Amino acid sequence: MQMKFSIRELLVLLMAGGLVVGCASTPEAEPAPEPEPEERAEPAPAPEGNYTVRRGDSLWRISERGEVYGNAYKWPLIFRANSDKIEDADLIFPGQELSYPRDVSQSAEDAAIEHARTRGAWQLGRVEESDQRYLRRNR
């Protein structure tokens, strides 16, 4: 069976076919959404820092260092944290490894500052009673 089409009929068929093919084509797929950037949690700071005593250091000078507390009046916090290594708060030695707590409660900070401000007279090589009271009260 042979079909005969005129050129006009053939053009109509081709055009109709093109429309069908055009309609049957798949729509453009929507691009996949960009993945959300992962939130990276900052590592929690260590609960304490470490400091190696240098010649000329005192607890006061160590405490006022920006990387420690940035406040000289917080030296009793270092004294308390190292009471097993420091007998006299006024006598530390080069090379000593001291730790200092970073996560300190406000009440502990307040007690340390109060002690530093009201400590009274001190003497090198003698353990002051006020320092001993501070350690007993603030354990």
Side-chain angles (χ1 to χ4, degrees), residues 50-80:
N50 294 303
Y51 182 84
T52 303
V53 177
R54 300 178 203 154
R55 186 173 185 202
D57 273 342
S58 64
L59 294 179
W60 177 275
R61 285 187 179 153
I62 295 168
S63 183
E64 76 181 345
R65 295 178 69 87
E67 68 271 17
V68 178
Y69 295 125
N71 182 339
Y73 286 100
K74 293 183 182 181
W75 69 261
L77 295 171
I78 302 170
F79 178 50
R80 183 182 69 208

Side-chain angles (χ1 to χ4, degrees), residues 95-132:
Q96 256 183 314
E97 292 290 328
L98 303 179
S99 61
Y100 55 93
R102 294 180 186 209
D103 189 19
V104 180
S105 70
Q106 188 62 52
S107 62
E109 280 188 17
D110 293 344
I113 292 169
E114 178 66 17
H115 174 65
R117 290 181 189 271
T118 62
R119 180 179 185 219
W122 57 273
Q123 186 178 7
L124 189 61
R126 181 174 150 255
V127 180
E128 281 69 35
E129 177 59 34
S130 63
D131 290 342
Q132 292 173 346

Side-chain angles (χ1 to χ4, degrees), residues 69-94:
Y69 295 125
N71 182 339
Y73 286 100
K74 293 183 182 181
W75 69 261
L77 295 171
I78 302 170
F79 178 50
R80 183 182 69 208
N82 296 278
S83 62
D84 60 328
K85 300 174 189 172
I86 302 172
E87 186 175 334
D88 180 0
D90 305 307
L91 192 56
I92 58 175
F93 302 96

